[in-house]
Amino acid sequence: MKRFSEVIRGISCSVVAFLAISAFGTASAADYPCSSVEWIVGWGAGGGSDSFARSMAPGVADTLGVPVRVINMPGASSIVAQEEVLNRPADGCTIFSITPDQLTNEITGLTELSHTDLQPIMRAHVDIGMMHARKGGEFGSWDDVIAYAKDNPGELLVGGTGAASFDEIVVNIVFGAAGVEFRYIPYEASKEMHADLLGGRLHVVYDEVSVLAGMIEAGQVAPLIVLAESELEKFPGVQAARDLGYQVPPSLWRGAAVKGGTPADAVKMLEGAFMAAADTEAYQTFEEGRLLNLYPGRLGADGFAELLAGEHKMYADVISGLNAN
Amino acid sequence: MIEGLQLALTMDVFAFIILGTLIGLMLGALPGLDATTGVALLLPVTYVLAPVPALMFFVSLYAAGVFAGSITAILFRIPGSSEAIMTAVEGHHFTARGEAGLALGVAVTCSAIGGLIATVALFTITPWLASVALQFGPSEYFALGVLGLSCIAAVSASDPLKGIIAALIGLLLATVGIDQITGAKRFDFGVSSILGGIPFVPAMIGLFAASEVYRRIAQRDHTLVSGGGRKVTIRSALPPFLTLLKLRWTVLRSSVLGLLVGILPGAGATTAAILSYSAEVRMSRQPEAFGKGKIEGVAAPESANNAAAVGAMIPLLSLGIPGSGTTAVLIGAFLIHNLQPGPFLFIENPEIVYALFGGIAITNVMVLLFSIVFIQAFAHFVRLPYPILATSILSVSVIGSLAFGDVNSVAVMLAFALLGLALEAARYPLAPVVLGLVLGPIIESSLRRALLMTDFDFTALLARPITAALLAVALLFIAVPAVAGLIRWWRARKQTP
């Protein structure tokens, strides 16, 4: 017997795929070597990676001409899912949702698996990070934060999700560049962190714009700096890290990969299908709704592979610095 | 407000409430599938709907899903979802006694009442409750967790020492997985599936459902209802009015407690159910009757978990911070319709907010109506010969565990089945294990986070009034029975020179 949840998911996905196909007219039936594709998401249903996969899958299925089923396999920052993908044949019939967590998991030693075991397909978008304070709280600007940190060394409380995680690395890069001491407070779920920020128990939090846009708009939270090369049109007046002379930390991104060693023609077809899917209305609406289009993030297989190698080095440097302290 | 209710009652919206309730009941009753998964899976399907019907659909699915887990909990000791865990502890005794109808009836009625009480709070004091929720930081969560643990004695009245040992087993198991504060690996033995912690639902299914099947097989106890061939009949799902009247304070207390725990982003319906159950044992004049099938032990967690589920909507709608896992997924449902949950929604689209409130109220009534039919359908299973039932329960246990990841979840389920079997054979209570497993991570990571914030100054934690008050109550809970025991022992000694 097939897993029941998989069957349900399969049905719902095929319904969506069917709707998508009928909406976009005829499907271009390419000769993809699999009768169906499974997209394994290492995070729970409803999260950022899951919504990404579900908004993208119909478009990919449309181009490949075979159904694409999204399967959630949450656990251990998607290490469980990565293992599953690497245990399957390298035939392009299984897609893996990749985020910077694959790099940090590897560097911190949570897993023996490496990002080099994977063949990148495409980076779809960048989710810009910002440093936030409570609106109407004691910190009206980034300068206030730095001044407080200088007057009270080690007293500045900065929240982020996960320990020895992407967030902690980013926070370290930013405050390292600013040259001030701080205390990083790790959270398992961002909801508790947000409550602690609004409740006045944290001074600053790091979070991505897709997560906090609503709270910014509602006037609960104020962005202080944006961790990018330049100011964003969406948030005028919020200084960019580069403009402050800081090293810009890597951004959170989401993309797709397959097992390393997948035949080149399958990779090529997948890359094409993903690029096409990124232009579909379903995906574009998703990007727009979550403000994932503030910064150009789309990269093909080769550019993505290069980026992974570069960021791997950057994270490794920061983490070895953290461990040295 | 009135317009909101009217909007919820328009035909095209109402139809989706009914659909959501039905799907929620079905998903909730199946172990391994819960409202969170249901909302996430059906999200893409609702792209085509207008925002109000789509959101109504999800809200009703969510509210119904929280209740439905209790049906299998009472009948087969399978908690369909984690919130139903205390119901499984207490409720299954009723099935064994041939009184499944009573327990189910009380469960569904109290769920509906708990949900409705919380909905009233939703309509009236949402902003105030949201500000209360913001008062809770790491130190308060720590104190709340300790308060929960102080109830170990309450949930193991017959032998407190065995209760403490069982709770320690739970706490020990709760340390498995990535350390939330340092990111280090703990007790994973190279198995990545437990790196994120022991998967809770497979563990619970094993501990309660599967272990029960194995016990019956081992003891050749092949009747679900003990006491011979007495037929199980579930004539009416509605309990006698007098029973309900007797439970009025239990339901009221538990609903308020459930609502308060539910609004906290760091605690959920499961914690609410556990706390209200323990509170009820504390308040009871016959604490020793709990754990053996006392109706208050079903009414309390059921009122509390539904009140908590509704309460979780409060921080979501007023602050934009989800109060639970499912409400976090609900954010997605808002976003795809270009609505941002939070204080803005109240100002910009108050009609949607009030329609949602109305929808939640209606769903609670619908759950009551549909459950009558639903429970009748399930009752047929109880009459099946036990060998067939046993294989079905085990199959469902395996499938339900698989839904939570990979084959290793099934291994976890089986390991917990053995643990449950061993513990029950040695007359250790199972409820404290759950207590430790649920509260362990809250207590540990909250305390460590709180200490990080205060630079390891314990006194700074006690300076926070809510923390101090909660810890004081916990101390009282621990001290009073201990002192009472000492006095009894001293008097007994005086009488026997």
Side-chain angles (χ1 to χ4, degrees):
Chain A
M1 177 154 181
K2 268 267 170 197
R3 290 182 204 174
F4 184 68
S5 61
E6 281 187 24
V7 174
I8 294 266
R9 278 165 214 184
I11 291 169
S12 59
C13 290
S14 42
V15 166
V16 176
F18 175 73
L19 288 176
I21 289 167
S22 43
F24 291 106
T26 50
S28 56
D31 266 338
Y32 197 66
C34 313
S35 57
S36 72
V37 170
E38 290 198 330
W39 184 338
I40 298 187
V41 177
W43 304 95
S49 285
D50 178 65
S51 322
F52 160 59
R54 286 178 200 279
S55 64
M56 197 88 169
V60 178
D62 200 15
T63 313
L64 291 180
V66 296
V68 176
R69 298 193 298 144
V70 177
I71 294 171
N72 298 87
M73 206 172 275
S77 307
S78 63
I79 293 172
V80 175
Q82 195 178 353
E83 268 178 5
E84 171 73 21
V85 171
L86 295 179
N87 279 335
R88 294 192 185 184
D91 51 7
C93 303
T94 308
I95 300 171
F96 176 63
S97 263
I98 178 167
T99 56
D101 295 285
Q102 272 62 59
L103 300 174
T104 51
N105 290 343
E106 174 187 338
I107 296 166
T108 54
L110 275 186
T111 174
E112 308 280 305
L113 309 175
S114 163
H115 72 284
T116 53
D117 300 332
L118 295 165
Q119 161 67 48
I121 297 291
M122 173 214 208
R123 180 175 85 163
H125 59 250
V126 161
D127 199 348
I128 290 285
M130 300 201 280
M131 293 291 176
H132 307 263
R134 181 165 57 110
K135 183 111 179 181
E138 52 188 316
F139 303 117
S141 71
W142 183 247
D143 291 340
D144 293 348
V145 174
I146 299 302
Y148 176 85
K150 281 194 171 139
D151 294 341
N152 307 278
E155 292 296 309
L156 185 77
L157 302 180
V158 185
T161 8
S165 60
F166 170 79
D167 284 23
E168 186 167 2
I169 293 172
V170 169
V171 167
N172 270 283
I173 293 178
V174 172
F175 285 93
V180 294
E181 281 179 51
F182 65 97
R183 281 214 297 275
Y184 177 76
I185 313 289
Y187 285 83
E188 196 194 11
S190 59
K191 54 184 184 170
E192 281 180 74
M193 176 174 82
H194 297 156
D196 277 352
L197 181 70
L198 295 188
R201 288 173 294 272
L202 284 174
H203 298 125
V204 177
V205 303
Y206 165 81
D207 217 330
E208 284 87 31
V209 59
S210 67
V211 182
L212 274 178
M215 295 176 80
I216 295 170
E217 214 168 310
Q220 298 161 285
V221 162
L224 300 176
I225 55 166
V226 49
L227 308 180
E229 297 289 338
S230 58
E231 233 175 67
L232 301 177
E233 232 175 275
K234 172 86 186 170
F235 300 103
V238 180
Q239 274 184 299
R242 174 67 79 206
D243 294 338
L244 287 159
Y246 297 172
Q247 175 197 5
V248 179
S251 302
L252 179 78
W253 39 253
R254 294 183 189 90
V258 288
K259 186 178 178 178
T262 300
D265 49 337
V267 173
K268 205 82 224 145
M269 286 170 91
L270 275 174
E271 189 185 6
F274 268 86
M275 286 297 185
D279 289 326
T280 58
E281 205 192 321
Y283 177 74
Q284 287 290 327
T285 323
F286 164 76
E287 251 194 13
E288 240 167 81
R290 309 251 172 144
L291 301 181
L292 300 170
N293 55 355
L294 303 181
Y295 208 72
R298 212 184 289 181
L299 288 175
D302 294 339
F304 191 16
E306 215 173 290
L307 177 101
L308 283 174
E311 292 199 342
H312 181 267
K313 194 187 166 314
M314 201 164 181
Y315 292 132
D317 289 347
V318 177
I319 288 180
S320 61
L322 272 179
N323 291 339
N325 286 338
Chain B
M1 207 181 282
I2 302 295
E3 289 114 78
L5 270 174
Q6 277 172 343
L7 186 57
L9 278 170
T10 50
M11 221 37 231
D12 51 336
V13 177
F14 192 60
F16 280 100
I17 296 183
I18 291 180
L19 193 65
T21 310
L22 286 175
I23 295 179
L25 283 173
M26 277 186 264
L27 289 179
L30 290 165
L33 279 179
D34 54 10
T36 316
T37 331
V39 172
L41 293 182
L42 293 168
L43 212 51
V45 182
T46 59
Y47 270 113
V48 286
L49 296 177
V52 175
L55 289 173
M56 285 299 190
F57 173 69
F58 287 124
V59 167
S60 52
L61 193 158
Y62 170 46
V66 171
F67 160 69
S70 351
I71 301 176
T72 47
I74 289 171
L75 292 177
F76 312 117
R77 217 162 76 142
I78 307 176
S81 46
S82 60
E83 298 91 24
I85 190 71
M86 295 320 287
T87 315
V89 169
E90 197 73 32
H92 188 61
H93 291 286
F94 286 89
T95 306
R97 283 208 303 257
E99 296 173 354
L102 176 67
L104 286 168
V106 166
V108 63
T109 322
C110 294
S111 290
I113 298 173
L116 285 172
I117 289 178
T119 314
V120 172
L122 207 58
F123 267 111
T124 50
I125 49 172
T126 286
W128 179 76
L129 284 173
S131 67
V132 171
L134 280 186
Q135 301 294 316
F136 266 70
S139 67
E140 283 80 11
Y141 282 118
F142 163 69
L144 190 70
V146 172
L147 182 61
L149 266 194
S150 72
C151 301
I152 293 170
V155 294
S156 47
S158 53
D159 192 342
L161 188 65
K162 284 187 170 171
I164 291 171
I165 293 172
L168 286 175
I169 294 175
L171 285 173
L172 188 69
L173 291 168
T175 58
V176 172
I178 300 172
D179 180 341
Q180 284 185 33
I181 305 298
T182 63
K185 290 198 269 191
R186 297 196 302 204
F187 311 120
D188 68 312
F189 301 103
V191 182
S192 60
S193 312
I194 56 169
L195 207 47
I198 289 182
F200 186 70
V201 172
M204 289 305 105
I205 295 175
L207 197 59
F208 287 92
S211 79
E212 171 82 355
V213 173
Y214 290 132
R215 182 187 67 78
R216 284 174 185 275
I217 294 172
Q219 298 180 344
R220 298 182 184 278
D221 174 8
H222 292 175
T223 44
L224 186 64
V225 181
S226 54
R230 191 141 62 103
K231 272 253 174 80
V232 185
T233 45
I234 302 173
R235 271 183 230 94
S236 155
L238 284 178
F241 183 69
L242 270 175
T243 315
L244 283 179
L245 204 63
K246 208 181 77 190
L247 290 170
R248 64 190 183 279
W249 294 118
T250 301
V251 173
L252 191 65
R253 268 196 301 266
S254 308
S255 303
V256 172
L257 186 63
L259 174 69
L260 289 175
V261 176
I263 60 170
L264 303 175
T270 310
T271 316
I274 290 177
L275 281 175
S276 67
Y277 178 89
S278 322
E280 216 40 52
V281 183
R282 286 277 170 216
M283 307 290 281
S284 174
R285 288 205 194 90
Q286 309 148 284
E288 68 288 345
F290 280 83
K292 301 184 189 98
K294 191 164 166 57
I295 200 67
E296 282 84 356
V298 174
E302 281 305 308
S303 331
N305 65 20
N306 266 55
V310 174
M313 299 293 291
I314 288 177
L316 176 72
L317 290 173
S318 55
L319 301 168
I321 298 173
S324 67
T326 312
T327 43
V329 178
L330 271 180
I331 289 187
F334 280 90
L335 287 179
I336 61 168
H337 293 290
N338 283 324
L339 294 167
Q340 179 73 49
F344 235 44
L345 197 62
F346 263 101
I347 303 159
E348 299 258 293
N349 306 86
E351 76 289 352
I352 291 185
V353 176
Y354 285 112
L356 280 180
F357 290 179
I360 295 171
I362 296 167
T363 303
N364 278 298
V365 178
M366 287 297 130
V367 167
L368 197 59
L369 292 178
F370 285 132
S371 297
I372 298 172
V373 184
F374 213 67
I375 289 171
Q376 299 280 11
F378 261 91
H380 291 295
F381 289 117
V382 180
R383 298 200 194 99
L384 288 173
Y386 194 72
I388 295 175
L389 211 51
T391 33
S392 315
I393 293 175
L394 285 180
S395 319
V396 168
S397 302
V398 170
I399 298 165
S401 307
L402 273 174
F404 276 81
D406 52 5
V407 263
N408 289 330
S409 305
V410 180
V412 168
M413 189 273 288
L414 292 173
F416 271 81
L418 289 179
L419 178 70
L421 203 58
L423 287 176
E424 288 213 308
R427 302 201 171 278
Y428 281 85
L430 294 181
V433 181
V434 183
L435 221 64
L437 210 54
V438 173
L439 299 175
I442 298 181
I443 293 176
E444 190 210 336
S445 61
S446 302
L447 176 64
R448 290 173 66 192
R449 201 174 290 133
L451 287 175
L452 270 181
M453 285 179 167
T454 60
D455 211 6
F456 297 93
D457 179 1
F458 277 93
T459 52
L461 301 188
L462 294 176
R464 301 180 61 89
I466 300 178
T467 309
L470 289 173
L471 286 176
V473 175
L475 194 67
L476 208 68
F477 275 6
I478 298 168
V480 169
V483 171
L486 266 178
I487 293 173
R488 258 200 311 271
W489 172 78
W490 185 66
R491 278 192 187 151
R493 217 180 66 144
K494 238 174 50 170
Q495 276 162 14
T496 49

mmCIF file of all heavy atoms in Angstrom, chain B residues 437-455:
data_model
loop_
_atom_site.group_PDB
_atom_site.id
_atom_site.type_symbol
_atom_site.label_atom_id
_atom_site.label_comp_id
_atom_site.label_asym_id
_atom_site.label_seq_id
_atom_site.Cartn_x
_atom_site.Cartn_y
_atom_site.Cartn_z
ATOM 1 N N LEU B 437 7.725 14.363 27.648
ATOM 2 C CA LEU B 437 8.071 14.500 26.234
ATOM 3 C C LEU B 437 7.577 15.833 25.659
ATOM 4 O O LEU B 437 8.257 16.466 24.857
ATOM 5 C CB LEU B 437 7.457 13.323 25.462
ATOM 6 C CG LEU B 437 8.167 12.832 24.223
ATOM 7 C CD1 LEU B 437 9.610 12.493 24.497
ATOM 8 C CD2 LEU B 437 7.452 11.606 23.680
ATOM 9 N N VAL B 438 6.386 16.269 26.091
ATOM 10 C CA VAL B 438 5.828 17.526 25.570
ATOM 11 C C VAL B 438 6.479 18.732 26.251
ATOM 12 O O VAL B 438 6.837 19.711 25.607
ATOM 13 C CB VAL B 438 4.291 17.579 25.781
ATOM 14 C CG1 VAL B 438 3.737 18.944 25.404
ATOM 15 C CG2 VAL B 438 3.614 16.509 24.958
ATOM 16 N N LEU B 439 6.609 18.631 27.584
ATOM 17 C CA LEU B 439 7.065 19.808 28.324
ATOM 18 C C LEU B 439 8.586 19.930 28.353
ATOM 19 O O LEU B 439 9.118 21.023 28.531
ATOM 20 C CB LEU B 439 6.513 19.782 29.749
ATOM 21 C CG LEU B 439 4.991 19.800 29.854
ATOM 22 C CD1 LEU B 439 4.549 19.644 31.295
ATOM 23 C CD2 LEU B 439 4.431 21.102 29.286
ATOM 24 N N GLY B 440 9.292 18.814 28.182
ATOM 25 C CA GLY B 440 10.754 18.829 28.248
ATOM 26 C C GLY B 440 11.383 19.896 27.371
ATOM 27 O O GLY B 440 12.132 20.751 27.859
ATOM 28 N N PRO B 441 11.083 19.886 26.066
ATOM 29 C CA PRO B 441 11.705 20.894 25.195
ATOM 30 C C PRO B 441 11.321 22.317 25.579
ATOM 31 O O PRO B 441 12.152 23.227 25.510
ATOM 32 C CB PRO B 441 11.155 20.559 23.806
ATOM 33 C CG PRO B 441 10.708 19.144 23.897
ATOM 34 C CD PRO B 441 10.280 18.929 25.308
ATOM 35 N N ILE B 442 10.055 22.521 26.013
ATOM 36 C CA ILE B 442 9.627 23.872 26.391
ATOM 37 C C ILE B 442 10.442 24.335 27.595
ATOM 38 O O ILE B 442 11.002 25.437 27.609
ATOM 39 C CB ILE B 442 8.116 23.900 26.747
ATOM 40 C CG1 ILE B 442 7.286 23.498 25.526
ATOM 41 C CG2 ILE B 442 7.694 25.275 27.258
ATOM 42 C CD1 ILE B 442 5.793 23.523 25.763
ATOM 43 N N ILE B 443 10.527 23.457 28.606
ATOM 44 C CA ILE B 443 11.235 23.828 29.829
ATOM 45 C C ILE B 443 12.713 24.083 29.543
ATOM 46 O O ILE B 443 13.269 25.115 29.920
ATOM 47 C CB ILE B 443 11.092 22.712 30.892
ATOM 48 C CG1 ILE B 443 9.648 22.624 31.348
ATOM 49 C CG2 ILE B 443 12.014 22.968 32.074
ATOM 50 C CD1 ILE B 443 9.385 21.507 32.313
ATOM 51 N N GLU B 444 13.323 23.140 28.837
ATOM 52 C CA GLU B 444 14.776 23.241 28.645
ATOM 53 C C GLU B 444 15.158 24.463 27.816
ATOM 54 O O GLU B 444 15.936 25.303 28.254
ATOM 55 C CB GLU B 444 15.304 21.971 27.970
ATOM 56 C CG GLU B 444 16.820 21.942 27.991
ATOM 57 C CD GLU B 444 17.424 21.202 26.836
ATOM 58 O OE1 GLU B 444 16.752 20.332 26.246
ATOM 59 O OE2 GLU B 444 18.572 21.500 26.497
ATOM 60 N N SER B 445 14.589 24.570 26.618
ATOM 61 C CA SER B 445 15.063 25.648 25.750
ATOM 62 C C SER B 445 14.621 27.001 26.279
ATOM 63 O O SER B 445 15.347 27.988 26.141
ATOM 64 C CB SER B 445 14.613 25.437 24.312
ATOM 65 O OG SER B 445 13.228 25.429 24.234
ATOM 66 N N SER B 446 13.445 27.082 26.921
ATOM 67 C CA SER B 446 13.010 28.376 27.452
ATOM 68 C C SER B 446 13.924 28.831 28.582
ATOM 69 O O SER B 446 14.295 29.995 28.651
ATOM 70 C CB SER B 446 11.576 28.297 27.969
ATOM 71 O OG SER B 446 10.716 27.894 26.958
ATOM 72 N N LEU B 447 14.265 27.897 29.473
ATOM 73 C CA LEU B 447 15.136 28.285 30.586
ATOM 74 C C LEU B 447 16.494 28.752 30.058
ATOM 75 O O LEU B 447 17.013 29.788 30.472
ATOM 76 C CB LEU B 447 15.333 27.112 31.552
ATOM 77 C CG LEU B 447 16.311 27.405 32.690
ATOM 78 C CD1 LEU B 447 15.782 28.517 33.584
ATOM 79 C CD2 LEU B 447 16.607 26.167 33.523
ATOM 80 N N ARG B 448 17.031 27.984 29.119
ATOM 81 C CA ARG B 448 18.364 28.348 28.623
ATOM 82 C C ARG B 448 18.327 29.660 27.855
ATOM 83 O O ARG B 448 19.253 30.474 27.941
ATOM 84 C CB ARG B 448 18.912 27.206 27.768
ATOM 85 C CG ARG B 448 19.245 25.992 28.641
ATOM 86 C CD ARG B 448 19.614 24.800 27.823
ATOM 87 N NE ARG B 448 20.858 24.984 27.090
ATOM 88 C CZ ARG B 448 21.250 24.154 26.138
ATOM 89 N NH1 ARG B 448 20.509 23.120 25.794
ATOM 90 N NH2 ARG B 448 22.385 24.362 25.507
ATOM 91 N N ARG B 449 17.230 29.878 27.106
ATOM 92 C CA ARG B 449 17.094 31.132 26.378
ATOM 93 C C ARG B 449 16.943 32.293 27.362
ATOM 94 O O ARG B 449 17.565 33.351 27.198
ATOM 95 C CB ARG B 449 15.878 31.045 25.460
ATOM 96 C CG ARG B 449 15.907 32.028 24.326
ATOM 97 C CD ARG B 449 14.765 31.789 23.371
ATOM 98 N NE ARG B 449 14.924 30.568 22.605
ATOM 99 C CZ ARG B 449 13.971 29.647 22.425
ATOM 100 N NH1 ARG B 449 12.796 29.814 22.963
ATOM 101 N NH2 ARG B 449 14.200 28.586 21.707
ATOM 102 N N ALA B 450 16.131 32.071 28.404
ATOM 103 C CA ALA B 450 15.927 33.120 29.406
ATOM 104 C C ALA B 450 17.248 33.462 30.089
ATOM 105 O O ALA B 450 17.548 34.631 30.331
ATOM 106 C CB ALA B 450 14.902 32.666 30.436
ATOM 107 N N LEU B 451 18.053 32.434 30.375
ATOM 108 C CA LEU B 451 19.323 32.687 31.056
ATOM 109 C C LEU B 451 20.315 33.378 30.134
ATOM 110 O O LEU B 451 21.103 34.219 30.575
ATOM 111 C CB LEU B 451 19.905 31.376 31.584
ATOM 112 C CG LEU B 451 19.177 30.797 32.806
ATOM 113 C CD1 LEU B 451 19.746 29.453 33.185
ATOM 114 C CD2 LEU B 451 19.243 31.752 33.987
ATOM 115 N N LEU B 452 20.261 33.046 28.849
ATOM 116 C CA LEU B 452 21.104 33.759 27.881
ATOM 117 C C LEU B 452 20.770 35.246 27.908
ATOM 118 O O LEU B 452 21.642 36.097 27.855
ATOM 119 C CB LEU B 452 20.859 33.231 26.469
ATOM 120 C CG LEU B 452 21.687 32.075 25.936
ATOM 121 C CD1 LEU B 452 21.259 31.762 24.516
ATOM 122 C CD2 LEU B 452 23.168 32.420 25.966
ATOM 123 N N MET B 453 19.466 35.525 27.994
ATOM 124 C CA MET B 453 19.028 36.924 27.961
ATOM 125 C C MET B 453 19.460 37.676 29.204
ATOM 126 O O MET B 453 19.763 38.859 29.150
ATOM 127 C CB MET B 453 17.504 36.992 27.839
ATOM 128 C CG MET B 453 16.996 36.659 26.459
ATOM 129 S SD MET B 453 15.205 36.748 26.470
ATOM 130 C CE MET B 453 14.886 36.705 24.713
ATOM 131 N N THR B 454 19.446 36.988 30.368
ATOM 132 C CA THR B 454 19.781 37.686 31.615
ATOM 133 C C THR B 454 21.249 37.499 31.970
ATOM 134 O O THR B 454 21.660 37.873 33.069
ATOM 135 C CB THR B 454 18.935 37.163 32.782
ATOM 136 O OG1 THR B 454 19.209 35.761 32.935
ATOM 137 C CG2 THR B 454 17.469 37.361 32.542
ATOM 138 N N ASP B 455 22.020 36.905 31.078
ATOM 139 C CA ASP B 455 23.418 36.614 31.350
ATOM 140 C C ASP B 455 23.557 35.719 32.590
ATOM 141 O O ASP B 455 24.340 35.985 33.489
ATOM 142 C CB ASP B 455 24.221 37.919 31.539
ATOM 143 C CG ASP B 455 25.658 37.738 31.062
ATOM 144 O OD1 ASP B 455 25.943 36.664 30.507
ATOM 145 O OD2 ASP B 455 26.468 38.657 31.257
#
